[in-house]
Every structure is written in C-alpha cells, then in structure tokens.
Amino acid sequence: MPAVAASIDELQSVIERALEGDIRSPWLTPEQAAKYLKTTNGTLKSWRATGKGPRFHGSHRFVRYHTDDLDAFMRGGE
C-alpha cells in the first residue's frame, strides 16, 4: 500500500485542532483534572504532597492525570 502524504494545510489543521482541544487526550493537566473532579487545583496539589488523592504521573511542573485513574478514585478504588 503506498504511503499517503499529508499536505502542509492538513497538518496545520490537525495541530490547530489539537491546540484548541478538539482532539481529546485521556491525559489531563492538574487544572483539567480539578475541573473533572469538581475540586480545585490547590486540593489536588495538597493531595499530591500528602500522598492522598488520585494517582498522578510526572513531577513538579509536568504533572498529568489519566482519566482512568480519576474515575477509579471517584469510585473509591484509588
């Protein structure tokens, strides 16, 4: 099967949609995770510092939450 080359315009469109949030990722920033859980970013930060709350990935300035982990936390399965 021959490779399909994307045009610059098509690639630009994909990048713009990703930046606008049209392409959904299961990985959320702390701000997005707080909104997802209906809490505050400060609460999530406190939970991270005390080892409580939902599982998170990364450290310091690059923290991400996976929606599966947030759902498990909400169900009480942490």
Side-chain angles (χ1 to χ4, degrees):
M1 176 182 287
V4 177
S7 72
I8 296 295
D9 290 336
E10 291 169 330
L11 292 174
Q12 182 67 30
S13 176
V14 169
I15 292 168
E16 287 173 1
R17 286 196 334 262
L19 292 174
E20 292 170 1
D22 287 348
I23 297 175
R24 305 265 184 238
S25 171
W27 294 100
L28 303 179
T29 65
E31 293 79 14
Q32 292 168 323
K35 189 173 182 179
Y36 189 89
L37 295 175
K38 294 185 169 70
T39 190
T40 66
N41 189 27
T43 297
L44 288 178
K45 187 175 182 178
S46 176
W47 285 345
R48 287 193 306 271
T50 60
K52 298 178 182 178
R55 181 176 174 202
F56 65 94
H57 306 267
S59 63
H60 305 289
R61 291 177 33 174
F62 188 79
V63 172
R64 294 294 181 267
Y65 291 89
H66 196 280
T67 54
D68 290 346
D69 295 327
L70 297 177
D71 291 339
F73 175 73
M74 293 294 286
R75 288 190 305 270
E78 298 183 61

